[in-house]
Amino acid sequence: AFRRSLQILVVDAGDCGACLNEVKQLNNPYYNLHRLGFFLTPTPRHADVMLVVGALTDHMRVPLRKAYDAMPGPKRVVAVGACALSGGVFGRSFICAGGVAEMLPVDVEVPGNPPPPLAILHGLLVAVGRKPSAGSR
C-alpha cells in the first residue's frame, strides 16, 4: 500500500522547537527527503503518515484527533522525540497527556532529544515497510 510516493503531515503537538528543527532539516539537499518519494503536505486529507513532535498538550488533543480521523487509510503515526514518546520532562501532568500513544496508535517511535535527521528518516522508512525495525533483527 505504501509503494508510491508518500505524503507526510507534520504535527507540532507542543514542541519546544528542537525536534521540529530536526524534521525541517530533512528538506535540505543533504538529506533530500524527496529522493525517497516523501513529500510534506499541509492537509491531513492527503497524508499517508502523521509525524508528531512535542509533548501532547491539553490544547492539542482535539486537533490531533481530528487530523488523524481526517487521514485516509491505510495510515501510519510516527512519534518523534522524547516528548512525543513519554511527555519528556513534563511527563503526565495537568497540561500534558504524557505522550502521543495515550491518544493515537503509534506505529514507529523515534527516540532522542532531539533525534538526528537520519534517525527520523529511518523511522519513516520503517513506518512504510522499506526498512526493518531495530527490534526485528
Side-chain angles (χ1 to χ4, degrees):
F2 293 110
R3 298 225 181 251
R4 57 184 170 74
S5 64
L6 293 167
Q7 302 293 321
I8 301 167
L9 174 68
V10 179
V11 178
D12 180 356
D15 187 42
C16 67
C19 292
L20 192 58
N21 189 33
E22 297 298 316
V23 170
K24 287 179 185 178
Q25 297 298 318
L26 294 175
N27 268 335
N28 290 344
Y30 184 78
Y31 298 104
N32 197 4
L33 186 69
H34 302 278
R35 70 182 158 88
L36 298 171
F38 294 140
F39 299 94
L40 300 180
T41 183
T43 176
R45 302 227 186 263
H46 298 146
D48 301 305
V49 176
M50 178 184 284
L51 195 140
V52 184
V53 296
L56 182 57
T57 61
D58 190 42
H59 293 290
M60 282 303 295
R61 291 179 194 201
V62 173
L64 185 69
R65 174 51 80 178
K66 284 184 179 181
Y68 180 78
D69 291 341
M71 289 173 60
K75 51 191 164 186
R76 300 283 188 264
V77 176
V78 178
V80 175
C83 292
L85 298 179
S86 65
V89 296
F90 305 105
R92 289 190 75 99
S93 64
F94 70 97
I95 198 68
C96 183
V100 178
E102 300 290 326
M103 280 206 60
L104 301 178
V106 175
D107 298 300
V108 177
E109 297 177 343
V110 182
N113 195 16
L118 285 178
I120 299 169
L121 196 58
H122 184 262
L124 289 170
L125 290 171
V126 169
V128 298
R130 293 189 201 165
K131 290 279 185 182
S133 65
S136 66
R137 289 184 182 169

